[in-house]
Amino acid sequence: MSELESTWRNFVDDQWIDGGGGRLSVEDPATGKPLAEQALADAGDVERAVAAAKRCHESGVLTAMRPVERGRMVRAMGDWLLARQDEIARLLTLEAGKPLWEARGEVAGAARYFEYYGNQAETLEGRSIPLGERYMDFTVQEPYGVSAQIIPWNFPLEVAARSIAAGLATGNACVVKTPELDPLSSGYFGKAAQAAGVPAGAVNVLCGHGHEAGAALAAHPDIDQMVFTGSVDTGVKIAKAVAPNVVPCVLELGGKSAAVVYGDADLDNLLASIRRGIFTNAGQVCSALSRAVVHESIHDEVVERAADLAKSLSVGPGIERDEAGFNMGAMISEGQRDRAEGLCQRAERDGARAVAGGRKLNRDGWFLEPTVFDRVDPAGELGQTEVFGPVLSVMKFSSDEEAIEIANGTQYGLVGGVFTADVERAMDAARRLRAGQIFVNEWFAGGVETPFGGYGKSGYGREKGREALMNYVQTKNVAIRLGVG
Ligand code: NAD
């Protein structure tokens, strides 16, 4: 990476601007030391960004483009990002704490959204509806107009990319509010938009405090559609903020997802899923494998092997962790780390047994030991609360009925997993698990192509896949009476 820029600005109406909110110091979670400054947008800057997006939409510049051309423009943003994968990944690692190899994967994942939705741009079609010989009727899919997108800190690039790419591919102008804790690398979206020749106002990227810039964006009367990814509490606030303006909203919220592990499961394969499912990004993943509901016949072996796995991970600064494998970086902030450690301490007090980890590391930076708890009460605090950290809770079951009851027994329903060699049992569990996405024998199986979103308090609407496109368009029906005049 070229030398780190000391100040990162906001991208509004094709201009790089400071902001009315002053500056925010962004810390390196691996050291706790300041890394660079981010210019902070306030409500006035949000106003300018929404006005620019509205002008862009009303000019018709995006909808006038042939969809294949709009798609190529979207893909060009991804190509530009991918060509700078190392440079962007280093910055992301430094501001977010994740291992460098994971950050590289995130940049590639972000670029992939631009490829996928760029390719989809020309596939959105209406239909013709027969109304008898005196009429001709057809539908068209039109963009809403201004798409407002509020992004969390855990995967700032991938989450923003999936919304920007789908929004732009369908012809919406986007206003993106980036997260306060790691906003710097999102500046590359503005650079990519400029490099790809995206019209002024079609992509606006700004960072501001949630309660100020975020709240101003959600309540703005000129936004036409909202996509929010973050916590349940903030999601509820967003839903209330958009309601008076009758703006449709996608909410991608938290999770406490369970893998149901039957007695015939392949344990080597399960352990690989546990590695990815709960220790990727130090467990700060909305769809993390945070609960393993394990059959009593293999419970002790799973607990022992999961504990060995957790203890084998090398934990330290992400920037020193270049190679994919058994390592883990810092959590995003001292507050998040201490919150997770507090949950661990109370779980022990409540009778759960820490078979690995449970403590913060005695060094600079926001590190928590990779942690495995056995004997977690499914109804207790740890059994119910999203830790958003590297903490696996193991629970035992004896009957299939009990397993499903435990797995479905939280307010969430983002994803669920089944590990078994018996396809009928897998299908039965997949049918009964109350979640938007089910993984059989591989946690995170799927990809950009597969729809993702929650049941219950994990939210509504879908991101990823073809399903997501439908959140960014509205259907217009045109009925023509023939033979008149
Ligand atoms: P958060 O809700 O605190 O913040 C998310 C975003 O909302 C940030 O940009 C923040 O500035 C903004 N915000 C905060 N208050 C606001 C307000 N009053 N009005 C408007 N915007 C506001 O969440 P977080 O701590 O950044 O992220 C962690 C949470 O996100 C976890 O619960 C996690 O499960 C969830 N998450 C879900 C998904 C998913 O796709 N389902 C993906 C990533 C994270």
Side-chain angles (χ1 to χ4, degrees), residues 348-413:
E348 276 194 280
R349 196 195 56 203
D350 293 346
R353 190 166 69 100
V355 291
R359 299 275 178 275
K360 59 188 176 192
L361 258 57
N362 185 14
R363 58 171 296 164
D364 286 345
W366 319 132
F367 296 95
L368 187 74
E369 292 172 329
T371 300
V372 177
F373 271 100
D374 186 22
R375 298 186 198 153
V376 175
D377 174 4
E381 186 189 25
L382 184 60
Q384 292 287 317
T385 309
E386 182 181 44
V387 178
F388 227 54
V391 180
L392 175 70
S393 295
V394 181
M395 300 156 192
K396 198 192 300 195
F397 75 89
S398 44
S399 73
D400 290 10
E401 209 56 47
E402 190 188 3
I404 300 294
E405 198 177 305
I406 294 172
N408 285 342
T410 73
Q411 63 172 344
Y412 296 110

Side-chain angles (χ1 to χ4, degrees), residues 150-155 159 162 177-181 208-216 218 228-235 237-238 251-255 284-287 336 386 388 412 414 452-454 458 463:
I150 297 183
I151 312 300
W153 47 260
N154 61 338
F155 290 97
V159 175
R162 75 186 184 198
K177 208 294 279 173
T178 59
E180 299 95 309
L181 288 166
H209 287 302
H211 60 81
E212 189 178 11
F228 172 75
T229 306
S231 62
V232 175
D233 286 352
T234 310
K237 285 186 195 154
I238 300 277
L251 296 181
E252 294 286 357
L253 309 177
Q284 302 163 116
V285 182
C286 50
S287 49
Q336 285 292 323
E386 182 181 44
F388 227 54
Y412 296 110
L414 194 52
F452 173 68
S458 291
E463 285 277 81

Side-chain angles (χ1 to χ4, degrees), residues 90-112:
R90 289 182 73 81
L91 178 59
L92 178 60
T93 283
L94 290 174
E95 65 174 336
K98 57 188 75 189
L100 195 48
W101 65 274
E102 287 186 18
R104 272 204 200 96
E106 178 161 353
V107 178
R112 172 80 179 108

Side-chain angles (χ1 to χ4, degrees), residues 233-373:
D233 286 352
T234 310
V236 171
K237 285 186 195 154
I238 300 277
K240 287 181 178 164
V242 300
N245 295 320
V246 197
V247 166
C249 184
V250 176
L251 296 181
E252 294 286 357
L253 309 177
K256 185 76 187 175
S257 302
V260 177
V261 185
Y262 293 98
D264 60 355
D266 177 326
L267 293 194
D268 290 342
N269 180 54
L270 171 70
L271 266 289
S273 275
I274 290 178
R275 155 73 196 93
R276 270 202 307 280
I278 190 63
F279 299 125
T280 295
N281 203 24
Q284 302 163 116
V285 182
C286 50
S287 49
L289 192 174
S290 54
R291 295 181 297 151
V293 183
V294 183
H295 190 257
E296 58 189 0
S297 61
I298 52 166
H299 167 269
D300 293 356
E301 190 181 349
V302 169
V303 168
E304 195 185 319
R305 291 187 61 176
D308 288 347
L309 166 70
K311 289 174 194 161
S312 76
L313 297 184
S314 128
V315 184
I319 205 73
E320 296 165 11
R321 279 152 180 79
D322 195 4
E323 300 270 317
F326 289 80
N327 55 45
M328 198 179 84
M331 292 184 67
I332 188 74
S333 68
E334 186 172 22
Q336 285 292 323
R337 195 272 312 270
D338 290 353
R339 175 182 168 277
E341 194 192 30
L343 276 158
C344 293
Q345 284 168 354
R346 291 195 296 281
E348 276 194 280
R349 196 195 56 203
D350 293 346
R353 190 166 69 100
V355 291
R359 299 275 178 275
K360 59 188 176 192
L361 258 57
N362 185 14
R363 58 171 296 164
D364 286 345
W366 319 132
F367 296 95
L368 187 74
E369 292 172 329
T371 300
V372 177
F373 271 100

Side-chain angles (χ1 to χ4, degrees), residues 188-217:
Y188 280 94
F189 290 123
K191 298 182 190 212
Q194 286 187 308
V198 173
V203 172
N204 304 274
V205 184
L206 27 78
C207 180
H209 287 302
H211 60 81
E212 189 178 11
L217 181 59

Side-chain angles (χ1 to χ4, degrees), residues 11-83:
F11 184 66
V12 173
D13 203 11
D14 209 24
Q15 307 287 323
W16 293 96
I17 62 161
D18 267 317
R23 295 274 164 89
L24 179 79
S25 174
V26 178
E27 286 177 359
D28 178 349
T31 61
K33 302 226 165 66
L35 190 63
E37 293 202 323
Q38 168 71 43
L40 267 190
D42 65 6
D45 301 307
V46 168
E47 184 67 44
R48 275 186 279 282
V50 173
K54 187 176 177 189
R55 263 195 314 278
C56 174
H57 171 62
E58 289 183 347
S59 76
V61 61
L62 290 173
T63 42
M65 293 171 92
R66 196 166 168 142
V68 65
E69 292 301 338
R70 204 165 58 233
R72 285 183 184 140
M73 180 182 80
V74 171
R75 281 176 40 183
M77 282 185 69
D79 292 344
W80 189 90
L81 292 169
L82 199 56

